[in-house]
């Protein structure tokens, strides 16, 4: 993959993520953003496939079919923006679109390895999508195709962020995008402490909620930036903070012997083909990432979002444990930190840290679940009053109108046991696989995905939505599913792969992710399907 195309795809992803923030102000809608995601998938598939297989007849035919499917999906997106899909046969139309999207996300160069890597998670995706489809296709109750448009937009984001973007945009490029986006939003929020202002149609002002930060005697307004809720800014800030820390650690120069000892096997069978940077450039990039870490950490602190504090804490603890003790500590660290997160529900109230009514909200959610359809959940309709907040309101004596503040309970209420199983396969499954495959797991991806998984215990944003929070969470899950195996991964000969696997088993205690020198001479042209 040429450096130019790689850079273009990375920049496009950054613009798309920023665009999802701008949709709040009505400056743009989600249609060009969804088209941009499909474009990344098309360009990545065609370029990467040609690089691996050349213009053979079999790949050429599949490339033509894949390109045509991408163009049809673009047409579907444009149709969504002009009224959606009406009866008769609305359900059948949505089903056909869903199958076409499944083809788009399930077909990839090195097909066999890709399915081996993602097969179980594609099944989880299908479980969640199927339950939502049961309700999204029956819109006569609501009487507005706008809800179908919302359903389709969330479906596209859900699929493309999980299974397409992480294939063709490197993990580090994603981390830079997240950290820079968060930094911009934090700086905007800090500027709003002087006077509120408008930025690309978005009102930038901080909430009226006042709190007294730790280590300070003065009260301040919670930082919200372009969001209406400090928790939303806190989630973006948490992602930017951890991304900055991971980048600083990744680019910090290491000795040649350390890099050689920590070389790991990429998950699609190739060795990592990242270039070794000059020491001076590594120092500069590590310093810049450290600056972003500090800015985003300060911004997250000013949001007073305790769920985000917790996510930052457990993520940093996991990464520091890895840096200090190597890969052998990952299983113990993940289990211990998960236990600490669950214990915090009991400990926090005992030490005076309020959960802001979450226990009452969760109890109401479980009661509502027991009185509803436990297998497939309750019908949901975005844009109406029949959401999760309305479902739990009859079971609340206070906190009426609040979200349930738990993404897993929200999925349980909306999609039942079937949907929750699929959701846990997607969110928790990659973490367990990473722990059991500690010798080859991409640790930065594991750290960020673990933080989002913990944060969702206290916040209501699921992967199946069409806002910036869901986009960041879905991408973090997508990168741990792909385990950092992007299109620059070279194909190693069979003997080299066997030696690398043996070496990885011996070097489980390696303290860092390694980066080998460019191994373009190890390319082989596998038969289609390998």
């Amino acid at each position: 993959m040429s450096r130019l195309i790689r850079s273009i795809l990375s920049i496009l992803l950054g613009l798309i993520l920023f665009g999802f923030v701008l949709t709040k102000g009505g400056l743009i809608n989600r249609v060009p953003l969804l088209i941009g995601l499909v474009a990344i998938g098309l360009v990545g598939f065609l370029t990467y496939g040609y690089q691996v297989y050349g213009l053979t007849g079999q790949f050429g035919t599949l490339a033509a079919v894949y390109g045509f499917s991408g163009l049809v999906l673009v047409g579907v997106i444009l149709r969504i923006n002009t009224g959606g899909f009406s009866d008769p046969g609305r359900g059948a139309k949505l089903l056909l679109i869903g199958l076409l999207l499944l083809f788009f996300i399930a077909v990839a160069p090195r097909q066999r390895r890709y399915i081996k890597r993602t097969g179980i998670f594609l099944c989880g995706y299908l479980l969640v999508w199927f339950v939502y489809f049961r309700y999204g296709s029956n819109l006569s109750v609501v009487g507005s195709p706008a809800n179908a448009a919302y359903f389709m937009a969330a479906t596209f984001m859900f699929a493309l962020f999980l299974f397409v973007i992480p294939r063709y945009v490197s993990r580090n490029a994603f981390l830079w995008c997240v950290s820079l986006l968060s930094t911009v939003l934090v700086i905007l929020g800090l500027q709003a402490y002087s006077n509120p202002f408008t930025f690309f149609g978005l009102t930038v002002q901080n909430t009226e909620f006042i709190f007294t930060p730790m280590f300070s005697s003065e009260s301040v307004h919670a930082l919200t930036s372009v969001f209406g809720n400090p928790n939303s800014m806190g989630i973006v800030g948490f992602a930017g903070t951890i991304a900055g820390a991971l980048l600083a650690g990744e680019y910090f120069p290491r000795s040649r012997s350390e890099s050689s000892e920590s070389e790991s096997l990429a998950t699609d069978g190739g060795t990592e083909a990242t270039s070794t940077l000059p020491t001076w450039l590594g120092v500069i990039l590590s310093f810049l990432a450290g600056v972003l870490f500090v800015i985003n950490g300060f911004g997250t602190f000013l949001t007073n979002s305790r769920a985000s504090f917790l996510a930052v804490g457990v993520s940093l603890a996991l990464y520091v444990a890895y840096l200090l003790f190597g890969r052998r500590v990952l299983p113990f660290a993940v289990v211990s930190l998960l236990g600490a997160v669950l214990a915090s529900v009991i400990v926090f109230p005992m030490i005076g840290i309020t959960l802001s009514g979450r226990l009452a909200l969760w109890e109401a959610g479980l009661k509502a679940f027991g009185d509803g359809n436990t297998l497939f959940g309750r019908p949901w309709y975005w844009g109406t009053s029949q959401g999760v907040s309305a479902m739990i309101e009859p079971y609340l004596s206070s906190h009426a109108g609040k979200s349930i503040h738990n993404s897993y309970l929200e999925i349980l209420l909306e999609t039942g046991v079937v949907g929750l199983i699929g959701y846990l396969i997607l969110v928790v499954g990659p973490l367990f696989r990473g722990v059991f495959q500690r010798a080859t797991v991409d640790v930065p991806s594991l750290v960020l995905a673990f933080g989002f998984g913990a944060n969702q215990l206290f916040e209501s944003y699921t992967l199946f939505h069409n806002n910036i929070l869901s986009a960041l969470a879905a991408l973090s899950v997508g990168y741990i599913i792909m385990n950092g195996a992007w299109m620059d991964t070279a194909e190693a000969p069979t003997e080299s792969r066997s030696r690398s696997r043996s070496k990885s088993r011996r070097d489980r205690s390696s303290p860092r992710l390694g980066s080998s020198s460019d191994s373009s001479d190890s390319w082989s042209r596998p038969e289609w399907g390998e």
Side-chain angles (χ1 to χ4, degrees):
M1 175 66 61
S2 72
R3 183 173 298 180
L4 176 62
I5 294 179
R6 181 176 56 200
S7 300
I8 290 174
L9 296 183
S10 301
I11 292 171
L12 181 56
L13 175 61
L15 293 175
I16 289 171
L17 292 178
F18 186 63
F20 276 109
V21 175
L22 294 183
T23 56
K24 291 177 58 63
L27 183 67
I28 60 175
N29 60 35
R30 292 173 176 83
V31 168
L33 307 180
L34 296 176
I35 292 175
L37 295 176
V38 173
I40 292 176
L42 274 176
V43 173
F45 179 89
L46 298 176
T47 308
Y48 184 34
Y50 175 75
Q51 178 180 345
V52 175
Y53 301 104
L55 195 57
T56 61
Q58 194 172 7
F59 175 71
T61 301
L62 183 60
V65 174
Y66 195 86
F68 178 74
S69 68
L71 294 177
V72 173
L73 290 176
V74 170
V76 169
I77 295 171
L78 293 173
R79 176 63 181 170
I80 291 174
N81 195 45
T82 57
F85 301 92
S86 58
D87 281 326
R90 179 184 296 161
K93 295 172 186 175
L94 295 180
L95 178 60
L96 289 174
I97 294 169
L99 293 175
L100 182 63
L101 183 59
L102 177 62
F103 170 81
F104 193 80
I105 66 174
V107 174
R110 299 197 176 102
Q111 185 67 56
R112 195 174 302 165
R113 293 192 182 98
Y114 175 72
I115 292 299
K116 184 179 179 181
R117 165 59 41 186
T118 63
I120 183 64
F121 306 113
L122 285 169
C123 292
Y125 159 79
L126 286 175
L127 280 177
V128 178
W129 179 84
F130 169 73
V131 180
Y132 277 122
F133 169 76
R134 290 180 72 247
Y135 301 129
S137 60
N138 182 19
L139 301 174
S140 58
V141 179
V142 181
S144 170
N147 292 282
Y150 212 103
F151 164 75
M152 291 305 300
T155 298
F156 273 74
M157 284 181 57
F158 188 46
L160 296 172
F161 281 138
L162 283 174
F163 299 107
V164 175
I165 304 304
R167 282 192 242 164
Y168 307 123
V169 178
S170 75
R171 177 251 296 151
N172 278 0
F174 163 63
L175 294 179
W176 280 114
C177 290
V178 174
S179 195
L180 289 170
L181 172 65
S182 176
T183 299
V184 170
L185 295 178
V186 168
I187 292 174
L188 290 175
L190 293 175
Q191 191 174 353
Y193 276 117
S194 300
N195 284 301
F197 60 97
T198 301
F199 178 78
F200 284 102
L202 296 170
T203 300
V204 184
Q205 60 182 5
N206 295 314
T207 180
E208 295 180 358
F209 172 72
I210 297 177
F211 74 103
T212 303
M214 292 183 294
F215 315 115
S216 174
S217 58
E218 296 186 7
S219 298
V220 297
H221 292 273
L223 185 78
T224 58
S225 189
V226 301
F227 301 99
N229 188 326
N231 287 336
S232 299
M233 183 62 234
I235 294 167
V236 177
F238 136 69
T241 301
I242 298 305
L246 295 173
L247 288 169
E250 282 293 287
Y251 286 109
F252 192 79
R254 66 199 70 179
S255 67
R256 183 181 296 273
S257 60
E258 184 181 4
S259 296
S260 176
E261 289 177 1
S262 61
E263 179 183 288
S264 61
L265 183 72
T267 56
D268 71 343
T271 54
E272 293 182 3
T274 52
S275 300
T276 302
L277 294 173
T279 300
W280 64 270
L281 183 56
V283 170
I284 292 175
L285 292 176
S286 182
F287 174 77
L288 291 176
V291 171
L292 298 181
F293 165 74
V294 171
I295 294 174
N296 289 319
F298 181 63
T300 305
F301 174 72
L302 289 178
T303 65
N304 197 40
S305 173
R306 285 153 292 187
S308 297
F309 294 171
L310 183 67
V312 170
V314 297
S315 299
L316 287 179
L318 179 59
Y319 192 51
V320 170
Y322 157 70
L323 292 176
L324 293 177
F325 304 106
R327 293 175 177 271
R328 66 179 180 274
V329 80
L330 289 177
F332 174 77
V334 168
V335 173
S336 300
L337 290 170
L338 180 60
V341 170
L342 297 177
S344 67
V345 176
I346 301 174
V347 174
F348 280 1
M350 296 174 60
I351 61 177
I353 300 177
T354 175
L355 294 176
S356 302
R358 282 176 170 82
L359 292 178
L361 293 168
W362 297 346
E363 182 182 0
L366 291 174
K367 290 180 180 179
F369 167 71
D371 292 342
N373 185 339
T374 57
L375 192 59
F376 293 108
R378 297 187 178 191
W380 51 269
Y381 303 109
W382 278 312
T384 74
S385 62
Q386 302 181 54
V388 170
S389 298
M391 291 182 197
I392 65 176
E393 188 169 350
Y395 305 91
L396 289 170
S397 58
S398 59
H399 307 292
K402 284 191 174 183
S403 68
I404 198 169
H405 282 284
N406 188 301
S407 298
Y408 305 102
L409 283 178
E410 183 161 332
I411 284 288
L412 182 64
L413 284 169
E414 291 182 346
T415 65
V417 174
V418 173
L420 180 63
I421 291 174
Y423 196 78
L424 291 177
I425 289 174
L426 287 171
V427 177
V428 181
L431 301 178
F432 277 98
R433 185 182 66 180
V435 167
F436 286 116
Q437 297 179 355
R438 61 186 181 185
T440 58
V441 66
D442 183 60
V443 177
S445 299
L446 176 69
V447 169
L448 187 59
F450 181 74
F452 268 108
N455 187 256
Q456 288 186 74
L457 286 167
F458 301 92
E459 298 292 356
S460 293
Y461 61 97
T462 67
L463 307 188
F464 196 92
H465 220 293
N466 67 356
N467 57 38
I468 185 60
L469 305 183
S470 297
L472 296 179
L475 280 167
S476 74
V477 171
Y479 278 95
I480 187 60
I481 287 176
M482 294 305 296
N483 202 23
W486 53 85
M487 59 186 172
D488 293 315
T489 303
E491 173 71 11
T494 304
E495 269 186 40
S496 298
R497 292 205 295 267
S498 299
R499 287 196 301 269
S500 295
R501 288 191 181 96
S502 299
K503 182 175 176 55
S504 294
R505 294 190 186 100
R506 292 195 305 269
D507 296 337
R508 285 174 185 239
S509 61
S510 169
R512 286 181 185 265
L513 279 175
S515 59
S516 60
S517 59
D518 188 21
S519 54
S520 58
D521 57 342
S522 68
W523 279 101
S524 63
R525 287 202 181 277
E527 294 298 323
W528 175 254
E530 287 190 11

